[in-house]
Amino acid sequence: MAPRVWRIGLIGFGNVGQGFIRILVNKGSKLRERYGFEFKVVGIADPIKGSVFDPEGLDIVKVIELVDKYGNIKDYPGGRKDIDSLYLCRSDSVDIVVEVTPTNVKTGEPGLTHIREALKNGKHVVTSNKGPIALAYPELKALADEKGVLLRFEGVVLSGTPAINLALEALAGTDISRVRGIVNGTTNFILTKMEEGMTYEDALKEAQRLGYAEADPTADVEGWDAAVKAVIIANVLMGGSITINDVEREGITKVTLDDVRKAKEEGCRIKLIAEVVKGDEGIKASVKPRKVPLTDPLANVMGAINALTFETDHLGPVTIVGPGAGRVETGQAILTDVLAIHRYAGGR
Ligand SMILES: NC(=O)c1ccc[n+]([C@@H]2O[C@H](COP(=O)([O-])OP(=O)(O)OC[C@H]3O[C@@H](n4cnc5c(N)ncnc54)[C@H](OP(=O)(O)O)[C@@H]3O)[C@@H](O)[C@H]2O)c1
């Protein structure tokens, strides 16, 4: 039986967690009207920003007021404060666990333990955390199937721009032979600025100033972030079983202004392209700077925007373009998955 009111437990109250709760505050009544989606956020667990649990439902307007004012929710009036993330994974008062803790691509933790524990306890899980999906998708999917619950993760590749659900649901029945695209906004922003004449170093500084790049930009500029996404595309969308070590990877640190100018003269743009190809010899994945002709939709994706082209048998190439990061954008990924759970597990 589907619950009358979906009870949500949120683990991690950073950018995405707050983006999602903000959407619920702003859109809650529309979601009820449009989709008959009734919900309560019964708990939030975050080691620094604070944890609170109330099976009757938290006042999410108050939660947002507190985090906006103090950066934490420690002074939330009422509720239990002695709970942690695992409590939410096990509580009988939670139907859907939203897991939005930081990504760790080596261990998957703490998200991997949260997701396993929530699934084991019969909770539906929504996450935007790449680590657990890249490292343990087959195990987690099998566990979700065994428990009869849903594990959804739209946000792990292009944040709220449909990629995972597009391929698994909207493109269901097609065979996807190749996926290629721009899956890292920071590097695409840097390459765009280089095309405007900035050096790599200045473009990186600009990306850092605008908050697109981390103080340590290695994960983006050396192609690691894109490589993790290629692993997810290969394993989840194309039936592969590769690891990050199988991805041929080269970042953008060696791309010079001269390379960018020469590409332009040839009617091309240099883009950091993640590509996964399914052939007779299995799945091959790479992340590399490539010259892309201006006639290719990917060449016209500029700034921090992302895009993916799916090569399919029934439709030929299908390209989706949109943001690949952001609080509200990734909050939207969580929302679309929560609504899918409402649709599929709620008998709608
Ligand atoms: N932001 C985006 O645009 C975006 C896009 C796509 C995917 N994602 C993914 O979505 C996830 C969340 O991203 P984000 O930007 O919201 O990260 P974030 O701002 O760093 O927020 C993560 C929050 O989780 C908390 N946390 C750490 N360990 C925890 C634990 N054991 N239990 C409960 N909470 C814990 C962190 O606490 P403290 O840091 O305070 O210790 C932090 O408040 C990440 O996996 C990220 O890769 C993000």
Side-chain angles (χ1 to χ4, degrees):
M1 264 290 279
R4 200 176 53 81
V5 176
W6 291 100
R7 297 165 302 174
I8 297 170
L10 177 67
I11 303 181
F13 199 42
N15 291 311
V16 179
Q18 290 174 35
F20 173 57
I21 297 296
R22 243 171 251 277
I23 294 179
L24 292 182
V25 167
N26 295 334
K27 283 270 179 83
S29 51
K30 268 194 191 159
L31 298 174
R32 285 186 188 98
E33 267 169 44
R34 272 194 218 160
Y35 308 110
F37 175 69
E38 300 281 349
F39 67 92
K40 291 193 245 188
V41 177
V42 294
I44 297 177
D46 187 298
I48 307 277
K49 296 181 184 74
S51 299
V52 58
F53 177 77
D54 183 346
E56 296 308 314
L58 302 174
D59 175 351
I60 53 176
V61 174
K62 185 79 200 162
V63 163
I64 290 296
E65 259 175 42
L66 285 171
V67 78
D68 280 348
K69 203 163 170 193
Y70 305 111
N72 66 62
I73 53 169
K74 290 179 182 161
D75 286 337
Y76 181 87
R80 279 181 58 184
K81 311 279 173 24
D82 60 342
I83 62 112
D84 62 8
S85 50
L86 288 175
Y87 182 89
L88 295 183
C89 297
R90 294 170 183 154
S91 166
D92 288 340
S93 301
V94 173
D95 305 305
I96 302 175
V97 167
V98 172
E99 210 292 338
V100 284
T101 65
T103 286
N104 178 325
V105 294
K106 291 202 178 106
T107 65
E109 298 298 353
L112 187 52
T113 297
H114 292 149
I115 296 173
R116 268 195 197 119
E117 198 61 22
L119 294 173
K120 265 188 212 158
N121 284 283
K123 319 287 175 215
H124 301 289
V125 172
V126 176
T127 189
S128 57
N129 188 340
K130 294 174 272 285
I133 303 301
L135 291 170
Y137 175 66
E139 175 212 320
L140 297 174
K141 173 78 169 81
L143 185 55
D145 290 349
E146 182 197 321
K147 293 291 176 180
V149 291
L150 295 168
L151 166 64
R152 301 196 56 110
F153 44 89
E154 177 58 74
V156 296
V157 174
L158 295 190
S159 80
T161 303
I164 301 288
N165 298 338
L166 175 74
L168 292 180
E169 291 168 7
L171 295 176
T174 61
D175 279 319
I176 300 173
S177 54
R178 186 160 79 135
V179 179
R180 50 196 282 281
I182 296 164
V183 293
N184 181 272
T186 309
T187 45
N188 203 49
F189 175 85
I190 293 172
L191 291 171
T192 300
K193 287 288 160 196
M194 288 176 75
E195 204 175 306
E196 291 167 11
M198 263 190 202
T199 61
Y200 168 79
E201 288 74 18
D202 286 347
L204 173 60
K205 275 190 205 133
E206 178 75 349
Q208 284 168 325
R209 192 182 65 77
L210 293 171
Y212 292 138
E214 305 277 332
D216 176 1
T218 313
D220 291 323
V221 298
E222 296 291 0
W224 289 107
D225 174 68
V228 174
K229 291 169 178 169
V231 169
I232 294 174
I233 290 168
N235 294 354
V236 177
L237 307 183
M238 299 171 82
S241 55
I242 66 167
T243 70
I244 195 156
N245 297 326
D246 300 317
V247 182
E248 198 187 326
R249 182 189 49 77
E250 183 187 328
I252 62 162
T253 52
K254 296 194 191 102
V255 177
T256 64
L257 266 181
D258 212 34
D259 297 332
V260 172
R261 276 193 210 112
K262 274 190 194 139
K264 208 171 176 181
E265 280 162 22
E266 293 168 30
C268 294
R269 284 203 170 106
I270 295 184
K271 295 289 183 191
L272 184 67
I273 298 292
E275 182 172 65
V276 184
V277 183
K278 193 173 184 174
D280 295 338
E281 287 158 31
I283 301 258
K284 286 218 165 76
S286 64
V287 172
K288 280 184 194 172
R290 290 180 190 267
K291 277 188 218 163
V292 181
L294 291 178
T295 47
D296 185 322
L298 296 181
N300 299 301
V301 175
M302 306 302 275
I305 298 298
N306 286 190
L308 272 182
T309 299
F310 298 87
E311 299 282 350
T312 71
D313 52 354
H314 298 158
L315 299 167
V318 175
T319 299
I320 183 129
V321 181
R327 283 182 169 204
V328 173
E329 292 82 348
T330 317
Q332 164 58 30
I334 303 296
L335 178 68
T336 197
D337 281 339
V338 166
L339 290 174
I341 289 171
H342 173 55
R343 218 165 39 242
Y344 295 136
R348 307 270 155 178

